[in-house]
Amino acid sequence: MTSNQIVKLLPYQHPFLFVDELTAVSSEGVTGNYTFKKNAYFYKGHFKNNPITPGVILTECMAQIGLVCLGIFLLKDELLEGNPQVALTSSQVDFFIPVLPGEKVTVISEKEVFRFHKLKCNVKLLNEKGELVCRGKISGMIGNR
């Protein structure tokens, strides 16, 4: 399964798709990136005159690339018909520096455990300078509808 096929199977669409491309995918992890659009809807109110990307959106980006894309790859034989169903079961993320409008980020995810359709990953998000923006553990259930 190619990176483009994985992205096409994602159960998200604009304006809630936070994956531009996957640059590496294996059974052990995934790396991908996303550029936050300067006119994204969430910048209008977060924060007044000082827009930064909300932590919940950064967590979503990490989950979409680091958990869902990897889960689709791991279940590629079961998901041939498409329509994967995803349920986030837990996330614990520590934040260190902000992401500004227009910034490109890279998500690097490493599989910790995958059993009975439950996937748990160690995920980190880096900015364009390679600085650690946030990191944590994200878990979810992935299956076919």
Side-chain angles (χ1 to χ4, degrees):
M1 178 174 276
T2 69
S3 297
N4 288 337
Q5 290 171 316
I6 293 169
V7 172
K8 286 181 182 177
L9 284 174
L10 288 170
Y12 314 103
Q13 64 184 11
H14 177 77
F16 211 73
L17 174 64
F18 300 110
V19 181
D20 285 335
E21 69 175 336
L22 302 179
T23 56
V25 182
S26 76
S27 61
E28 297 304 312
V30 64
T31 300
N33 57 60
Y34 180 73
T35 301
F36 286 95
K37 312 308 180 257
K38 289 184 178 185
N39 62 348
Y41 67 94
F42 45 80
Y43 290 127
K44 291 177 183 161
H46 195 269
F47 292 97
K48 268 192 210 180
N49 302 318
N50 186 28
I52 65 169
T53 309
V56 68
I57 299 294
L58 296 175
T59 301
E60 181 66 24
C61 179
M62 292 169 68
Q64 287 185 17
I65 294 172
L67 186 82
V68 182
C69 288
L70 180 57
I72 288 171
F73 178 79
L74 293 172
L75 291 171
K76 60 184 171 266
D77 294 333
E78 295 179 36
L79 297 175
L80 292 176
E81 298 172 14
N83 298 321
Q85 187 170 359
V86 180
L88 185 67
T89 57
S90 68
S91 64
Q92 184 278 316
V93 178
D94 295 317
F95 300 92
F96 304 106
I97 57 178
V99 172
L100 303 176
E103 276 196 82
K104 180 179 181 179
V105 297
T106 298
V107 174
I108 302 168
S109 176
E110 297 175 349
K111 177 182 73 178
E112 185 172 306
V113 65
F114 179 59
R115 191 173 348 176
F116 305 116
H117 291 234
K118 183 166 184 178
L119 178 60
K120 183 176 186 180
C121 297
N122 295 306
V123 185
K124 62 184 175 180
L125 187 142
L126 308 173
N127 64 15
E128 290 179 271
K129 297 176 187 173
E131 299 169 319
L132 181 64
V133 171
C134 52
R135 71 172 168 229
K137 291 184 183 287
I138 301 177
S139 301
M141 301 289 292
I142 301 172
N144 213 358
R145 286 188 194 179

